[in-house]
Amino acid sequence: MNLNYPLTYINGISNARASLLSGELNLSRLHDLLHFFPYRYIDRTKFYKIAELINNNTDIQLVGRVVEMKTIKQKRGSRLVAKFQDDTGSMELVWFKGHKWIKDSIKINTPYIIYGKLNFFNGNFSIAHPEMELVENYKRKRQSKLQPVYSSTEKLVNSGLSNKILRGYVQNLLQQVYEGIQETLPVPFMEQYKLIDKKQALLNIHFPNSPELLARAQQRLKFEELFFIQLQLLRKKLIRKNKIKGYVFEQVGENFTTFYNKHLPFALTDAQKRVLKEIRKDVGSHAHMNRLLQGDVGSGKTIVALLTMLLAIDNGFQATIMAPTEILATQHYNAIDELLKNMDVSVELLTGSTKAKKRKEIHSSLEDGSLKILIGTHALLEDKVQFQNLGIAIIDEQHRFGVAQRSKMWQKNELPPHILVMTATPIPRTLAMSVYGDLDISVIDELPPGRKEVKTVHRYDSNRLSVFNFMKQEIQKGRQVYVVYPLIQESEAMDYKDLMDGYESISREFPSPNYQISIVHGKMKAEDKEFEMQRFVKGETQIMVATTVIEVGVNVPNASVMVIESSERFGLSQLHQLRGRVGRGADQSYCILLSSFKLSSEAKTRLQTMVETSDGFKIAEVDLKLRGPGNIMGTQQSGVLNLKIADVVKDTPILQKARSAAIELLQNDPNLSKPENAVIQRTYSELSKRTGAWSNIS
Ligand SMILES: Nc1ncnc2c1ncn2[C@@H]1O[C@H](COP(=O)(O)OP(=O)(O)OP(=O)(O)O)[C@@H](O)[C@H]1O
């Protein structure tokens, strides 16, 4: 039977039921129901005794007899109560609806198997609306030992479409279509990856014959799901690589060599060298680079960006860096301007607050090619900004820019410029593979030498005085301190008040002229922000009171203390970013996480993780586990959220295997045209055509 047929082709499904299933569970074709997998299983081999019951509110199964029944009148309606006994004791079964029919159908003093959720009320155990089956019938039927439980909705349950009925539909469906289920992977492939066949997998995922077979069914279906997603992402990358050519930066010229040999302020770390090599390989080969550069906070991405830009300039191109905020763009500009101070390479800054006259100058020097490096914010995307020949666009913290904005930069050229996306928010490898599977990924996984780990502690608000004393000691030594407040959109007014109150109390505790304080928050004008930032950067102020506007990228090596107020309200990656603002110089640095006493268990885990590790990748993994992939930046556009069975967090080993399998396959058969891969090709194109999980990644 064709799996595209509607559900009404299944014995027992009426039009009304079909439209209910479609409306509530989005199941409309046979294929949908076949791939509607149970979310858990009940072990029907386990039987309880009444005397052993404990109040844990779980589903239980018992064998016993109904010895008496009575109907009890209530204010509204009535209920049927049955006394159920086994050889160890008795309990109640209760029905609130349909009990006339039930009363008639139950056989007194006859062995039944009953099943349902255990309730404990007024010292008595009971089960409401149990499933009941005569022991003699139960013995006759061949039962699946692990019984599937499907997710459902209140409307379905209220309409009488119970899990038992749903189970029946799936059973009927399997009987009707089983013989015709097509294999979606070639036999040698299944042998190589030790996968059971599709029929077996589908049968055992719904009605497992044993826990072992269930595990193998899950393995097969998860592998298949992840394999085809990877295949899709990798093919997309392959096609893009073949179709889109990039500019070639053939020579390592004057600017690169001079800077590298004479002006590089430090030796590159091995990780920086490796990443540069990866970039040079891309840009030297007619390929179009589309690379994600992940580096933990302070790992030294800026220098890699600069060397890449010098390579572009040596080959006659211009280069640009786009940052998400004015503060960041300015900082990149200052850092690069400083690094290039002994070189003859022009660099400018363009942001929303660049004055009209300067703006004009920038526009024309960009068009005539005399301006080589332009750094800026979204302002770079305005139509007036026209490069003569943009060779590379470096995008910092890309998740703040939409995909549409990214491609807007492409339109400025005959060929698309190379793209290097830099992020200091590490994305766990597994997620990066799924979300950015079509990008190449480079990782700077090593910090520059001599960095001391930031000592991190968690303190309750009541310890604030000793925190202030500690700040004083550090300032005494000539260091600077950040004090950060949350600013979360929904409660902006309150947060703003907290910030201002905090500022006042810090001003009282740290009075001028002994102490100078800067304050930076989102409501300030850009130039005021910049002015305050600069005072702190120059060391004129010792304390920077700020909201998370300083979260990413701010680089003041002399700042050695980061105090985070209400730290329980921050996400893990935000805390990690904030901590990354200190520990950038040679001094021992500290991060103090202040919080109230009342902490949710998730908040506790976050703070504890911060205290225990400073490895951004480990922190990202914990974050992913706590929040799930849906909340991690960039995942919204990908297929990982629509997975039917696999889980990007828990199924990492399967994902890795599936990805390697897809890579190996494409190496041997990039177009999937070899006869032995016909089955894969057929499944692949069916999946690509199908809506849902596949539409948004194709
Ligand atoms: N190889 C190196 N040896 C010594 N110091 C380095 C090295 N690379 C970078 N640095 C210094 O480390 C600091 C951090 O570098 P950079 O600002 O590029 O980090 P980043 O990766 O951009 O981090 P963030 O995202 O937190 O800004 C800078 O002060 C930089 O000069």
Side-chain angles (χ1 to χ4, degrees), residues 316-484:
F317 293 96
Q318 293 164 301
T320 186
I321 300 184
M322 182 160 76
T325 64
E326 188 141 355
I327 290 183
L328 270 183
T330 310
Q331 193 177 288
H332 276 311
Y333 170 78
N334 290 338
I336 285 176
D337 196 42
E338 171 67 23
L339 285 165
L340 290 177
K341 65 178 186 260
N342 299 314
M343 304 265 308
D344 187 21
V345 175
S346 50
V347 44
E348 290 287 358
L349 174 71
L350 181 71
T351 69
S353 42
T354 307
K355 298 272 178 324
K357 185 163 164 258
K358 182 79 189 169
R359 208 170 262 266
K360 267 200 185 134
E361 274 172 38
I362 291 177
H363 290 163
S364 63
S365 58
L366 206 56
E367 271 173 60
D368 69 25
S370 56
L371 177 56
K372 297 299 178 199
I373 298 180
L374 181 60
I375 296 170
T377 53
H378 292 80
L380 296 180
L381 298 170
E382 283 166 16
D383 292 335
K384 281 204 180 117
V385 180
Q386 292 294 339
F387 291 84
Q388 189 192 52
N389 54 356
L390 180 62
I392 178 151
I394 297 175
I395 306 178
D396 196 7
E397 290 296 320
Q398 87 123 16
H399 55 255
R400 304 199 177 192
F401 295 106
V403 174
Q405 284 170 322
R406 236 207 291 173
S407 61
K408 199 160 176 194
M409 305 205 77
W410 289 38
Q411 291 160 13
K412 293 185 185 290
N413 265 41
E414 177 199 336
L415 278 184
H418 295 295
I419 303 277
L420 183 67
V421 175
M422 298 200 297
T423 173
T425 313
I427 304 163
R429 256 189 79 73
T430 47
L431 198 59
M433 270 188 228
S434 314
V435 180
Y436 296 112
D438 64 328
L439 255 65
D440 290 305
I441 299 177
S442 289
V443 183
I444 307 186
D445 49 7
E446 180 187 354
L447 292 181
R451 289 276 170 82
K452 292 202 181 91
E453 192 158 318
V454 179
K455 284 197 176 138
T456 304
V457 291
H458 170 214
R459 294 282 180 268
Y460 292 109
D461 290 340
S462 49
N463 288 325
R464 189 171 278 106
L465 268 186
S466 65
V467 173
F468 282 162
N469 284 337
F470 180 72
M471 286 164 59
K472 281 178 188 156
Q473 284 168 24
E474 284 295 296
I475 293 171
Q476 192 79 42
K477 291 188 210 155
R479 308 283 121 75
Q480 288 164 286
V481 178
Y482 293 101
V483 183
V484 177

Side-chain angles (χ1 to χ4, degrees), residues 265-269 272 295-303 331-332 396-397 422-424 444 448-449 451 552-555 557 577 580-581 584:
F266 36 70
L268 294 185
T269 60
Q272 285 168 322
D296 209 341
V297 284
S299 60
K301 294 182 288 293
T302 314
I303 203 80
Q331 193 177 288
H332 276 311
D396 196 7
E397 290 296 320
M422 298 200 297
T423 173
I444 307 186
R451 289 276 170 82
V552 270
V554 173
N555 190 22
Q577 277 298 323
R581 299 310 106 214
R584 303 174 81 85

